[in-house]
Amino acid sequence: MEKFQLICGGTVLIKGKKGRDTVCIVLADENCDDSNVLMNKVVQMNLCVQLADVVTVTSCGDFPYEKRVHILPINHTIEGVT
């Protein structure tokens, strides 16, 4: 992580396929090589990436905390609800 100038708990912008991007928090893992990135399924789905796909990781610096966030349902989760 020192090689890429990333600090544990810092924010990074990860860019995937089709111009998709998301902001994540950096955590250190001793078992992961420097050339690999570990991410959960939710982040993979947001970026439309699969195993062995190439992503770009960029440091965000200071990322302000938001005061209000809107969480909207996904279309397939509200089928049949009136």
Side-chain angles (χ1 to χ4, degrees), residues 1 4 6 12-16 22-29 31-41 43-44 47 49-58:
M1 286 186 19
F4 301 109
L6 298 174
V12 291
L13 178 69
I14 303 177
K15 292 185 180 181
T22 189
V23 176
C24 296
I25 296 174
V26 176
L27 298 175
D29 188 4
N31 300 327
C32 184
D33 295 334
D34 286 340
S35 62
N36 296 334
V37 176
L38 297 176
M39 62 180 78
N40 62 17
K41 290 285 185 184
V43 175
Q44 289 178 5
L47 295 174
V49 295
Q50 298 175 353
L51 292 176
D53 285 346
V54 177
V55 296
T56 304
V57 179
T58 309

